[in-house]
Amino acid sequence: MRLGGFTALLLTLLVCVSACATPGRLPAVPVGQTANAQPVVPNVRYWPDREGDNFVEAAQISVAKERAWLARTGQAHAPPPVAFLAISGGGDAGAFGAGLLVGWTQRGDRPAFRAVTGISTGALIAPFAFLGPRYDHVLREAYTEVSQRDILRRRFITAALWNDAMADSQPLAGLIKRFITPQVLSEIAAEAEKGRLLFIGTTDLDSREPVIWDMTAIAASRSPAALELFRKVVLASASIPGAFPPVMFDVTVGGKRYQEMHVDGGTSHQVFMYPSSFHLKEVAMKDRPRTIYVIRNSRLDPDWASVDRRTLSIAGRSVSSLIHSQGLGDLTQIFLLAQRDGVKFNLAFIPADFDVPREHDFDTNYMRALFERGRRMGVDGSAWRNIPPEYPTLR
């Protein structure tokens, strides 16, 4: 009986270990082949940290499309001013950017952006900012009517050892599926024919590199796989490592199948516009006023707090400090690129006096208050400043 009991215990342990096995994956793309890997819709992404990337070629094609569209619409001799928009990460603080855009619409002078970029929560906002005011209702719903249960489903504590994240992001995937419809994809494809661009950033954990996905190219491909890929990229960009599972992309290299592991674009950058190796003046049409608008879904002041002397508190505060510093560096880079390329710079961020308490992540009351603060700043035009906070002597 003792032997039988031991056998039963051993079998139980084996079953438990088997049930707790970590998620599997296909082999990662081999070293040196990263840039050659193609997803289910090919030629729709760029590797901004690599020399010889094809971003310049994509920009040239975009300019050619815009020239043709301006000619068709009788605007070739007097093309309109150009506006670019970059939307940062920030989790539930994306309510600020969503509210700002809605208020900007209400103000009446929100431009149709030539190019829009988004990372993390900015990736959720970017498609609707790109399509314009007719999708403001989506921004309002997404950041004032959702709660934590609409974003994630918590896992047991054992997920820290046996799984790929502490929460399941299927609720967020369902939200993305509800908002990113075939109609949305079709409308983005139509805008691509005018030369407009929509970019979303993720991070390839295998190669440890930022990836810029050309969402307009995905939409314009008309591929049967385009809609699913579009949704996966948005989900990947918003998948905070450790909190949400990574998103796996099936790719091929030389006819062989591999898998890439992608996570939150904020792992590489908090906000981006275009690679520093890209010189706008060399590609763009001349003699047109250009403006970059950057929405940073975060406060930029130090945001003092008394930190408990506990491991998780210290680690969490340290990570938030890294994100804060990284965000400031990204703003500086965009500002310097704008100066180099003769582009006006405008920055909006959460003001330091916004102090509504946040009970937990994706607190609906907090998001509603932040959305309303952003909306009011968009209506009265007080959101924008033309220089990052690191340059106080130039104010």
Side-chain angles (χ1 to χ4, degrees), residues 34-182:
T34 298
N36 297 324
Q38 293 289 353
V40 290
V41 180
N43 304 316
V44 293
R45 57 188 188 168
Y46 316 106
W47 306 86
D49 288 352
R50 292 173 176 260
E51 292 185 9
D53 191 78
N54 54 355
F55 190 90
V56 173
E57 181 182 352
Q60 291 171 336
I61 293 172
S62 168
V63 169
K65 286 183 176 180
E66 187 189 21
R67 286 184 188 276
W69 177 73
L70 290 172
R72 289 195 304 270
T73 56
Q75 303 178 75
H77 297 297
V82 175
F84 305 107
L85 176 65
I87 313 170
S88 84
D92 52 12
F96 171 74
L100 175 57
L101 286 165
V102 170
W104 200 354
T105 297
Q106 294 170 354
R107 180 180 172 85
D109 58 355
R110 175 177 158 186
F113 301 106
R114 174 70 170 74
V116 177
T117 72
I119 274 187
S120 196
T121 195
L124 301 172
I125 298 171
F128 308 108
F130 179 81
L131 289 176
R134 66 184 180 276
Y135 280 95
D136 281 0
H137 69 281
V138 174
L139 296 178
R140 184 182 293 274
E141 180 181 347
Y143 286 93
T144 66
E145 300 300 328
V146 302
S147 62
Q148 190 176 92
R149 66 182 181 183
D150 299 305
I151 304 297
L152 58 90
R153 200 160 40 233
R154 295 188 182 279
R155 292 171 170 168
F156 291 114
I157 191 65
T158 53
L161 295 175
W162 304 110
N163 219 314
D164 54 2
M166 296 304 298
D168 185 346
S169 60
Q170 280 306 304
L172 176 58
L175 207 62
I176 292 170
K177 183 176 182 180
R178 180 156 66 89
F179 289 141
I180 303 294
T181 63

Side-chain angles (χ1 to χ4, degrees), residues 11-26:
L11 288 172
T12 301
L13 289 173
L14 287 174
V15 169
C16 289
V17 171
S18 174
C20 293
T22 55
R25 61 170 294 181
L26 293 178

Side-chain angles (χ1 to χ4, degrees), residues 2 6 14 22 66 77 79 82 90 147 151 177 192 231 261 269 275 278 293 322 344 359 386:
R2 287 197 299 270
F6 176 78
L14 287 174
T22 55
E66 187 189 21
H77 297 297
V82 175
S147 62
I151 304 297
K177 183 176 182 180
R231 290 167 173 167
M261 180 182 290
H269 297 284
F278 174 73
Y293 294 93
L322 285 170
K344 292 181 181 179
E359 300 297 330
N386 60 11

Side-chain angles (χ1 to χ4, degrees), residues 337-356:
L337 286 176
Q339 285 197 317
R340 184 197 70 183
D341 294 338
V343 181
K344 292 181 181 179
F345 177 87
N346 278 286
L347 168 66
F349 53 90
I350 300 174
D353 64 354
F354 181 80
D355 57 1
V356 174

